[in-house]
């Protein structure tokens, strides 16, 4: 009986040690390709609630304010009206907003869009593939992409309306 308990405990300890070893290896010793300032923004194609497709490549020649957000994120919620206001100001000046939702239920996204009267595209990242490709950690995260498709700035965290204005001005072609 004691011998069986010792073997089971040893086996459990080995499994835990292997899991810890793998976690440390995956987090510290594997290269993580993340989008950085100066790199070309990875292309993607996403659909919105109506099935319209949005491909980043099609926005070449324009500045793109690429925002990752969720309805449960209070800082995201605070900055959406600012983004909408500035979108109305900059959309005729060659600046577009793509506000990528991080894979929430369509009804939740639709209610959010209606509550804030959002007119800019809101594609949905089902499966979080684009989120992972960009290496997004906390949301909101915003990537400012110039007319040539290069990332010129990465902003993590909430923005004021003045900040949104300044950033959109920065990527205006």
């Amino acid at each position: 009986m004691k011998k069986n308990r010792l073997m089971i405990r040893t086996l459990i300890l080995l499994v835990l040690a292997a899991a810890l070893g793998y976690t440390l290896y995956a987090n510290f010793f594997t290269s993580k390709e993340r989008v950085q300032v100066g790199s070309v923004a990875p292309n993607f194609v996403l659909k919105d609630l109506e099935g319209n497709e949005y491909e980043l490549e099609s926005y070449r020649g324009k500045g793109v304010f690429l925002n990752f957000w969720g309805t449960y994120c209070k800082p995201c919620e605070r900055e959406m009206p600012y983004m909408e206001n500035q979108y109305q100001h900059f959309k005729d000046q060659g600046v577009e907003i793509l506000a990528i939702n991080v894979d929430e239920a369509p009804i939740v996204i639709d209610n959010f869009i209606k509550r804030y009267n959002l007119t800019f595209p809101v594609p949905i990242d089902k499966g979080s593939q684009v989120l992972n490709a960009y290496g997004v950690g906390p949301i909101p995260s915003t990537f400012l992409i110039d007319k040539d498709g290069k990332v010129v700035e990465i902003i993590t965290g909430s923005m004021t309306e003045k900040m949104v204005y300044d950033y959109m001005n920065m990527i205006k072609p």
Side-chain angles (χ1 to χ4, degrees):
M1 189 78 156
K2 277 187 170 182
K3 192 174 186 181
N4 281 345
R5 275 190 288 178
L6 179 64
M7 288 184 68
I8 290 172
R9 288 178 182 163
T10 303
L11 183 61
I12 290 171
L13 188 60
L14 286 172
V15 169
L16 289 173
L20 178 63
Y22 174 76
T23 301
L24 290 172
Y25 173 78
N27 284 314
F28 296 110
F29 300 110
T30 57
S31 76
K32 293 180 181 160
E33 295 297 319
R34 291 191 168 190
V35 175
Q36 297 178 356
V37 172
S39 64
V40 174
N43 191 35
F44 59 82
V45 178
L46 293 174
K47 292 183 180 181
D48 66 11
L49 292 172
E50 286 80 39
N52 301 314
E53 285 191 351
Y54 298 92
E55 181 176 12
L56 184 61
E57 281 289 318
S58 69
Y59 290 94
R60 282 285 168 99
K62 295 182 175 189
V64 178
F65 190 92
L66 184 65
N67 180 264
F68 291 88
W69 69 282
T71 60
Y72 53 86
C73 164
K74 289 300 176 190
C76 302
E77 190 173 352
R78 277 192 302 272
E79 71 186 12
M80 282 296 165
Y82 306 149
M83 289 168 48
E84 178 61 33
N85 290 342
Q86 295 311 313
Y87 178 65
Q88 295 305 319
H89 178 74
F90 282 97
K91 69 181 179 180
D92 295 328
Q93 298 178 42
V95 177
E96 293 290 337
I97 291 180
L98 288 176
I100 298 178
N101 179 271
V102 293
D103 198 13
E104 292 184 279
I107 188 79
V108 174
I109 299 168
D110 189 46
N111 287 339
F112 189 92
I113 291 170
K114 287 176 181 170
R115 183 175 351 136
Y116 290 100
N117 297 313
L118 302 179
T119 60
F120 48 77
V122 180
I124 303 162
D125 187 13
K126 293 184 179 176
S128 300
Q129 292 176 342
V130 177
L131 182 88
N132 293 332
Y134 276 75
V136 174
I139 58 172
S141 286
T142 303
F143 293 76
L144 303 179
I145 303 168
D146 70 10
K147 62 183 176 63
D148 299 318
K150 289 195 177 170
V151 177
V152 295
E153 187 80 39
I154 301 171
I155 302 100
T156 303
S158 185
M159 294 177 277
T160 64
E161 187 154 7
K162 172 81 167 100
M163 292 168 73
V164 173
Y165 173 83
D166 290 343
Y167 289 138
M168 287 186 156
N169 226 5
M170 183 188 298
I171 57 174
K172 185 170 66 172

